[in-house]
Amino acid sequence: MANPVASKILAFDVFGTVVDWHGSIAREVDAMGLGVAGSAFALAWRAGYQPAMQKVRSGELGWTRIDELHRMILDELLVRFGISGLDEAGRQHLNRVWHRLEPWPDSVEGIRRLKARYIVCTLSNGNIGLLTDMAKRAGLPWDCILSAEVFRAYKPDPAAYLGVASTFDVRPDEVMLVAAHHDDLAAARGCGLLTAYIERPLEFGAVHPKDVSPRPENTMHCSSIAALAEALGC
Amino acid sequence: MANPVASKILAFDVFGTVVDWHGSIAREVDAMGLGVAGSAFALAWRAGYQPAMQKVRSGELGWTRIDELHRMILDELLVRFGISGLDEAGRQHLNRVWHRLEPWPDSVEGIRRLKARYIVCTLSNGNIGLLTDMAKRAGLPWDCILSAEVFRAYKPDPAAYLGVASTFDVRPDEVMLVAAHHDDLAAARGCGLLTAYIERPLEFGAVHPKDVSPRPENTMHCSSIAALAEALGC
């Protein structure tokens, strides 16, 4: 097994791995009193995410930021959920809930500890502005915000993973992707990156627990980002 | 005059504005005992910078990161200055002196104060890896590292300045460029950005003092980044 301590760069998936999109959106939608269940709305919004990015990957859409894709999905959901009382300013504000996602309780402290030994950066399909707003609000202490937007390629496009290594002028196996999703990690591994799986059993909410069983192909498997810091001696 | 307090984003030029390239390089070259004057070497290296970027802007070179442009210039300088005792590892190390530039004494504290009210980001022709290494080493608390590399356009290409506004989904006049160079500020102003001139009279060393007279076309004129923070009430 490659020695993870020897890697130089830790690149973090963000939605689900660092922040709790389901809980954050469900709480905000519930608080708006729109007459819909926040959890169902959050799950439906997130379910539109991969199909929307696929339109960009396939070329059906030109390069489009996640903010705009989120808005396209939101406009469909408002119709589907029968929500009519939201004006343009309200829609814009709700769409930016993705800029206001709350970190999991261990994220800020875990990343802070890892930062002492590694370059810690994002590698998210979220756009740069979204990730910057989120980091500033939540206190996520990134050394650098990298995004699909920098590489004009959405994960799992190899250009995104290899872009991190190129950005820092290191070999792919000097980068470790940290993520709560096996498909993201598999694509990174295919590009030669090391991989750390983070258990986020409540990513889809308490009533939809996620299987977080270890898979031997990952370099590391940790219960949280803080546990990753502990395992790496940070 | 546009109200600078109403701007949301402060985008900083880096080389010369935030960090002292001349002093940092001169000291490191002097300490290497290569038999050349560090100051002259630093000035010659920097003098090669605009012509090298011009080759990219003109299309003579495809997209090339500053790290690589710095190395091309360095290899020429080693010949010109008659330095033969530097092996490949030594050249690579020296080339990365640009990652190790020291901030001016007020930079870290000034940016930290401004960060409380504004999004503070870089807008440098330096590449992302260089700027990240520099920030981590010097403790520059950027919210986000933006670079010509993100926009594939070297300043003064309008795509770089307008790219900042687009990244954060704001109007150009909600961004203020902070720089010690009137030509950079003029190009930003041409794109509709606000501008803050920072006096760095010693940018080229104590024996080559720079004219730092105010020009009325800039939105603000400050003696340092700390003075900018003071003027903006941060």
Side-chain angles (χ1 to χ4, degrees):
Chain A
M1 188 182 86
N3 177 5
V5 179
S7 67
K8 295 176 176 173
I9 316 289
L10 300 182
F12 289 73
D13 173 64
V14 173
F15 299 134
T17 300
V18 175
V19 296
D20 173 14
W21 57 266
H22 173 272
S24 305
I25 294 174
R27 280 189 296 276
E28 190 156 325
V29 169
D30 282 336
M32 290 172 76
L34 296 170
V36 301
S39 174
F41 197 87
L43 292 170
W45 208 347
R46 181 68 174 175
Y49 181 72
Q50 286 297 341
M53 283 190 297
Q54 188 51 35
K55 288 185 188 171
V56 176
R57 289 192 205 100
S58 70
E60 182 185 336
L61 276 181
W63 177 258
T64 311
R65 290 191 182 119
I66 287 293
D67 271 345
E68 198 176 332
L69 296 179
H70 277 151
R71 177 60 195 265
M72 291 162 52
I73 305 164
L74 174 61
D75 285 343
E76 292 171 9
L77 288 187
L78 292 175
V79 174
R80 197 197 315 167
F81 279 77
I83 300 169
S84 57
L86 212 57
D87 64 9
E88 176 56 27
R91 289 172 183 224
Q92 287 184 15
H93 181 76
L94 178 53
N95 197 52
R96 287 172 65 95
V97 67
W98 294 91
H99 296 223
R100 297 186 294 270
L101 301 181
E102 300 284 347
W104 297 107
D106 58 280
S107 294
V108 171
E109 174 65 9
I111 294 164
R112 192 192 61 73
R113 287 167 61 186
L114 290 162
K115 184 174 179 165
R117 182 173 296 177
Y118 300 93
I119 289 179
V120 289
C121 66
T122 57
L123 180 62
S124 169
N125 285 336
N127 46 295
I128 299 170
L130 181 159
L131 295 168
T132 302
D133 284 344
M134 176 197 288
K136 194 169 181 71
R137 184 175 177 280
L140 294 163
W142 304 119
D143 286 313
C144 179
I145 287 175
L146 293 181
S147 156
E149 187 179 1
V150 175
F151 308 117
R152 292 285 192 278
Y154 280 122
K155 295 188 292 180
D157 188 319
Y161 306 102
L162 294 173
V164 178
S166 170
T167 295
F168 294 109
D169 195 21
V170 299
R171 300 187 314 270
D173 69 356
E174 294 178 299
V175 179
M176 184 155 66
L177 183 73
V178 181
H181 311 113
H182 286 298
D183 52 352
D184 195 5
L185 295 168
R189 192 165 44 248
C191 295
L193 277 65
L194 307 188
T195 58
Y197 180 83
I198 305 295
E199 297 180 359
R200 296 299 188 194
L202 303 183
E203 177 176 0
F204 298 93
V207 297
H208 302 284
K210 190 171 81 168
D211 177 10
V212 294
S213 309
R215 295 194 189 169
E217 55 268 34
N218 288 316
T219 316
M220 303 185 72
H221 179 104
C222 297
S223 61
S224 69
I225 295 174
L228 174 65
E230 195 69 29
L232 290 173
C234 294
Chain B
M1 187 181 87
N3 177 5
V5 178
S7 66
K8 296 176 176 173
I9 316 289
L10 299 181
F12 288 74
D13 173 63
V14 172
F15 299 134
T17 301
V18 175
V19 297
D20 174 15
W21 58 265
H22 173 271
S24 304
I25 293 174
R27 281 189 295 274
E28 189 156 325
V29 169
D30 282 336
M32 290 172 75
L34 296 170
V36 301
S39 174
F41 197 87
L43 291 170
W45 208 346
R46 182 68 173 174
Y49 180 73
Q50 287 296 341
M53 282 190 296
Q54 189 50 37
K55 289 185 187 173
V56 176
R57 289 193 205 100
S58 71
E60 181 184 336
L61 275 180
W63 179 257
T64 311
R65 291 191 181 118
I66 288 292
D67 271 346
E68 198 176 333
L69 296 178
H70 277 150
R71 177 59 194 265
M72 291 162 51
I73 304 164
L74 174 61
D75 285 343
E76 293 171 9
L77 287 187
L78 292 175
V79 174
R80 197 198 314 167
F81 279 77
I83 299 168
S84 57
L86 211 55
D87 63 10
E88 176 56 27
R91 288 172 184 226
Q92 287 184 14
H93 179 77
L94 178 53
N95 197 53
R96 288 172 64 96
V97 68
W98 293 90
H99 297 221
R100 297 186 294 270
L101 301 180
E102 301 284 348
W104 298 108
D106 59 282
S107 294
V108 171
E109 175 65 8
I111 294 164
R112 192 192 62 72
R113 287 167 61 186
L114 290 162
K115 184 175 179 166
R117 181 173 299 178
Y118 300 92
I119 289 179
V120 288
C121 66
T122 57
L123 180 62
S124 168
N125 284 336
N127 47 295
I128 300 170
L130 180 159
L131 295 168
T132 302
D133 283 345
M134 176 197 287
K136 196 169 178 71
R137 182 174 178 280
L140 295 163
W142 305 119
D143 286 312
C144 180
I145 288 175
L146 293 180
S147 157
E149 187 179 3
V150 174
F151 308 116
R152 292 285 193 278
Y154 281 122
K155 295 188 293 181
D157 187 320
Y161 306 102
L162 294 174
V164 178
S166 170
T167 294
F168 295 109
D169 195 22
V170 298
R171 300 187 313 269
D173 69 356
E174 294 178 299
V175 179
M176 183 156 66
L177 184 73
V178 181
H181 311 113
H182 287 297
D183 52 352
D184 195 4
L185 295 168
R189 192 165 43 248
C191 295
L193 277 66
L194 307 188
T195 58
Y197 180 83
I198 305 295
E199 296 181 358
R200 296 300 188 194
L202 303 183
E203 177 176 0
F204 299 94
V207 297
H208 302 284
K210 190 170 83 167
D211 177 9
V212 295
S213 309
R215 296 194 188 169
E217 55 269 34
N218 288 317
T219 317
M220 304 184 72
H221 179 103
C222 297
S223 61
S224 69
I225 295 174
L228 175 64
E230 196 69 27
L232 290 172
C234 295

